[in-house]
Amino acid sequence: MTENVHKRRQLTSEEIKEIFFNSDEEIFDSEAESDSDEDLPPNLEALDNIVDEETTPVLNEAEEVNSLLWQATNLFNPPGPGNFDNQLCGVQNPPESPSEVNCFKMFLTEDVMGEIVEETNRYASDLQEREIKGKLVKWVPTNIPEMYTFLVSVLLMGVIKKPSLRDYWSTDPMLLTPFFGSLFSQDRFLLLLCCLHFANNATAVSNDPLKKIRNIFTALTSSFHRIFVPYRDLCVDESLMKWKGRLAFRQFIPSKRHRFGVKFFVLCDVLTGYVEDMIIYTGSTTDIQHYPGLGISGSVVMTLLAPYLRKCHVLYVDNWYSSPTLFQHLLSLGTGACGTVRANRKGMPKFTCKMKKGEVEFEENGSQLAVKWHDKRDVHVLTTVHPTGMAATGKLDHITGQPRMKPVCVLEYNKKMGAVDKADMMIGFHECTRKSTKWYKKIFFHVLDTVLLNSHIVYRQITGKEITSLQFRTNLMRGLLEEYSTLRGPTKGGRPALDTPLRLTARHFPSEVPQTTSQGSKTRRHCKVCLSSTHKGKQRRLTKHMCVPCNTPLCAVPCFEEYHTLKHY
């Protein structure tokens, strides 16, 4: 007697369609109803794999928070991320001699500067090969010392503001700043600014919107978190660099001072104001890792915080980033969070519709605390680190005379959320960015201002000296010039200096022209009146007399008198 062996048979394509479209009907026969562990037929293996993939959890996927799990409370203290260890915080591997120059060169190293020099020389050669005429015929390759001196000139222009670059080389006595002429001629400076470049156009990735600045931007921002380990509290916010030119990723933010520009997502250390990282927003190609369930704003936060997760940091963000899902995900990764939040965010609890001024309502779900507080308007705050309760602000209500009270989380948020705005303010005092036709050059100078801010903070952390930003910048420029600059030779020709407006009013006396080493007692200079006279023929006459206050060589008779008494000599 033969033994009945139940085997699975291969289904036809029509039977498979019936499974999905008419699932209420039973199409299997008794032979197909078997619990055998045999392999599936070939035409069902793919379907089985799809089901397995769908049931497999996705890595880094954030779990949504159920809005029905919230309940009212008056006494709740979230579990939080744990205790933070700040023993390793601060500057890492400080230089042996912590001068302003050494702190600055921790970020902008000679290797990075060498890359800028290489690309600048390559770009200048490309322009010459295109037979572009003009000042480029005077181009000579630059080097690292000259590039550092160039940056000193740019930084000094942030301290001494003038409406035009050419005004820094003006010979007008009222606008005269001879120090710039001692560093560079006007043509050489403008040539360096024109040829300044940061990438090889031949090898740059064509579809990268930041290909012109990618290498240098990455090198500088990666040094930010390598040099300084942040303290417990961190802050993420947006920053806007003014730019009104044509640019694919230019943004319009009406709440910002400049409104139009390039948007940066910035991570700051709250205690020191140090900028830990920056991301340039370029639309759909922004350099962020997308996390399922968190959206763009949550993915920005997770990308910036990636090196600092599971270290018990506390993050402060505004309502564009905050959501119960993001905060729960951060808490599962050992990171606390606090921030204002939009009332209609998915997973938020339902609060009382109308509240009077000063009233507050608390809701908790076991790990998060949601707060609605009515001040001048409704304020919604979400936190995983602050308890319920009110705290005094230190101010008195001008109507009742009683101390002003705010929820603890609101008070802490107000203290610690402004780190990015403060960094923007510090940069804006002496920023070196100028109007430019090339967007990538302006981004470079903006990042350079951020490097100076971080260098100043590092210098204060190492030395303990409380010097101002201007003092640090001045000492840095002086130190760089002492190390890299060479004395420029005397100029030949050029425009004659304009007359001082005080030549007709102040007291003037003739003096002898100072002797030079080559001419000695026979030192002479050309008389200004003889060279530019309007009522007598122009002559090239040498004289040994001059007016010291006017710094003008003049014949003793009659040019000295005419120069100081006639408006049109």
Side-chain angles (χ1 to χ4, degrees):
M1 186 175 179
T2 60
E3 182 178 358
N4 293 329
V5 180
H6 297 288
K7 295 184 178 180
R8 296 185 181 183
R9 65 182 178 83
Q10 181 170 327
L11 299 179
T12 65
S13 301
E14 290 75 13
E15 289 175 331
I16 294 175
K17 290 181 181 179
E18 289 292 325
I19 294 175
F20 292 99
F21 295 106
N22 299 315
S23 58
D24 293 334
E25 300 179 9
E26 186 67 31
I27 66 169
F28 295 99
D29 57 19
S30 59
E31 292 183 356
E33 298 176 357
S34 172
D35 294 331
S36 174
D37 293 334
E38 296 181 12
D39 295 336
L40 290 175
N43 63 340
L44 286 181
E45 288 181 355
L47 291 177
D48 187 66
N49 292 336
I50 293 176
V51 173
D52 291 341
E53 290 176 1
E54 291 177 349
T55 56
T56 302
V58 180
L59 294 177
N60 297 327
E61 183 174 3
E63 183 180 354
E64 292 186 0
V65 175
N66 191 342
S67 60
L68 301 178
L69 298 179
W70 296 89
Q71 57 184 359
T73 182
N74 287 320
L75 185 62
F76 177 73
N77 191 358
N83 296 324
F84 179 78
D85 183 10
N86 60 359
Q87 293 182 357
L88 300 178
C89 296
V91 182
Q92 307 298 304
N93 302 318
E96 295 180 0
S97 57
S99 64
E100 291 87 349
V101 173
N102 289 338
C103 291
F104 177 74
K105 289 171 67 175
M106 291 175 69
F107 301 91
L108 196 59
T109 63
E110 291 193 358
D111 292 337
V112 176
M113 191 63 75
E115 185 177 349
I116 296 175
V117 168
E118 180 182 355
E119 297 303 336
T120 299
N121 288 331
R122 178 184 287 116
Y123 184 62
S125 299
D126 293 343
L127 292 179
Q128 287 178 325
E129 290 176 0
R130 297 180 208 168
E131 298 182 356
I132 297 178
K133 298 181 181 179
K135 300 293 185 181
L136 272 173
V137 296
K138 298 182 179 180
W139 172 261
V140 293
T142 184
N143 51 43
I144 291 177
E146 186 183 37
M147 190 57 68
Y148 271 114
T149 307
F150 171 78
L151 290 185
V152 169
S153 300
V154 173
L155 296 177
L156 188 57
M157 289 175 181
V159 178
I160 304 173
K161 299 287 188 180
K162 291 191 178 184
S164 171
L165 281 176
R166 296 183 183 272
D167 288 341
Y168 290 98
W169 285 267
S170 173
T171 57
D172 189 331
M174 292 190 298
L175 303 177
L176 189 63
T177 46
F179 186 72
F180 289 93
S182 67
L183 299 178
F184 291 103
S185 67
Q186 176 183 282
D187 289 348
R188 181 59 179 174
F189 179 86
L190 294 179
L191 262 180
L192 286 171
L193 184 61
C194 173
C195 298
L196 185 65
H197 215 66
F198 312 103
N200 187 351
N201 292 338
T203 60
V205 181
S206 59
N207 59 353
D208 183 6
L210 298 177
K211 60 184 178 182
K212 296 285 189 179
I213 194 71
R214 170 74 65 190
N215 294 339
I216 298 301
F217 181 79
T218 303
L220 293 177
T221 53
S222 62
S223 68
F224 291 172
H225 55 79
R226 184 182 70 247
I227 292 171
F228 188 90
V229 174
Y231 291 88
R232 177 174 178 263
D233 298 326
L234 299 172
C235 169
V236 170
D237 203 357
E238 301 168 4
S239 175
L240 194 71
M241 183 200 76
K242 183 180 180 180
W243 178 262
K244 290 190 175 182
R246 296 175 62 182
L247 188 61
F249 48 88
R250 185 187 68 172
Q251 293 291 297
F252 172 70
I253 304 180
S255 61
K256 297 293 184 180
R257 176 187 173 190
H258 300 309
R259 298 190 299 159
F260 293 94
V262 178
K263 182 166 71 173
F264 293 79
F265 297 112
V266 183
L267 174 67
C268 273
D269 174 55
V270 172
L271 182 63
T272 61
Y274 184 92
V275 176
E276 288 288 344
D277 201 0
M278 304 169 72
I279 297 176
I280 301 176
Y281 177 74
T282 59
S284 59
T285 58
T286 305
D287 298 328
I288 59 174
Q289 181 181 353
H290 293 274
Y291 288 76
L294 295 181
I296 298 296
S297 60
S299 298
V300 169
V301 171
M302 295 301 297
T303 303
L304 288 171
L305 281 182
Y308 310 109
L309 297 174
R310 295 184 173 88
K311 296 181 180 180
C312 301
H313 285 283
V314 176
L315 175 70
Y316 291 84
V317 289
D318 62 21
N319 59 17
W320 191 75
Y321 306 92
S322 301
S323 70
T325 303
L326 173 64
F327 281 22
Q328 189 65 40
H329 188 60
L330 286 174
L331 191 61
S332 67
L333 297 174
T335 305
C338 174
T340 56
V341 62
R342 298 173 185 176
N344 59 355
R345 282 285 194 190
K346 193 172 184 179
M348 283 292 290
K350 301 296 182 182
F351 288 100
T352 305
C353 294
K354 292 185 179 180
M355 301 174 66
K356 296 180 181 179
K357 184 174 181 179
E359 291 184 343
V360 63
E361 188 174 348
F362 299 100
E363 297 273 347
E364 57 89 7
N365 66 356
S367 60
Q368 302 182 58
L369 177 67
V371 181
K372 179 180 180 181
W373 174 60
H374 189 85
D375 189 28
K376 294 181 180 179
R377 60 179 181 272
D378 288 340
V379 178
H380 295 84
V381 179
L382 194 65
T383 180
T384 60
V385 292
H386 300 112
T388 57
M390 307 291 285
T393 62
K395 299 179 180 179
L396 297 179
D397 192 308
H398 65 281
I399 297 177
T400 63
Q402 298 295 322
R404 285 188 176 183
M405 306 294 288
K406 290 183 179 180
V408 175
C409 56
V410 174
L411 204 59
E412 288 296 305
Y413 175 84
N414 291 340
K415 289 179 182 178
K416 300 177 180 179
M417 183 54 203
V420 175
D421 292 333
K422 183 179 178 181
D424 287 342
M425 179 189 69
M426 296 295 294
I427 290 173
F429 287 150
H430 307 291
E431 62 181 349
C432 62
T433 54
R434 300 187 66 89
K435 188 175 182 180
S436 172
T437 57
K438 302 293 185 182
W439 60 269
Y440 57 88
K441 293 181 185 178
K442 192 161 188 181
I443 288 181
F444 170 73
F445 290 130
H446 179 75
V447 177
L448 181 62
D449 284 325
T450 307
V451 167
L452 256 74
L453 173 68
N454 284 350
S455 303
H456 181 207
I457 295 172
V458 167
Y459 179 78
R460 290 192 305 175
Q461 287 280 311
I462 297 175
T463 63
K465 297 179 181 178
E466 293 294 330
I467 65 172
T468 65
S469 174
L470 180 59
Q471 289 174 330
F472 176 83
R473 184 179 293 241
T474 304
N475 294 341
L476 171 64
M477 291 186 291
R478 183 175 288 109
L480 288 174
L481 290 177
E482 291 173 355
E483 185 173 350
Y484 293 105
S485 181
T486 56
L487 183 63
R488 182 175 170 234
T491 59
K492 298 179 181 180
R495 297 184 302 273
L498 298 179
D499 295 327
T500 173
L502 301 178
R503 67 183 178 88
L504 300 175
T505 57
R507 303 177 67 185
H508 304 273
F509 302 96
S511 303
E512 289 190 356
V513 175
Q515 297 181 7
T516 62
T517 55
S518 60
Q519 295 181 349
S521 60
K522 296 181 180 181
T523 302
R524 301 289 188 272
R525 291 172 64 183
H526 289 286
C527 174
K528 178 66 178 292
V529 174
C530 294
L531 279 175
S532 55
S533 177
T534 57
H535 63 276
K536 61 182 180 181
K538 296 181 180 179
Q539 304 175 30
R540 294 177 62 86
R541 181 176 296 173
L542 292 172
T543 178
K544 68 174 184 178
H545 298 95
M546 68 175 295
C547 178
V548 175
C550 300
N551 192 25
T552 305
L554 296 164
C555 297
V557 180
C559 299
F560 194 92
E561 180 181 356
E562 290 178 359
Y563 183 78
H564 293 105
T565 56
L566 300 178
K567 185 173 184 180
H568 303 287
Y569 51 83

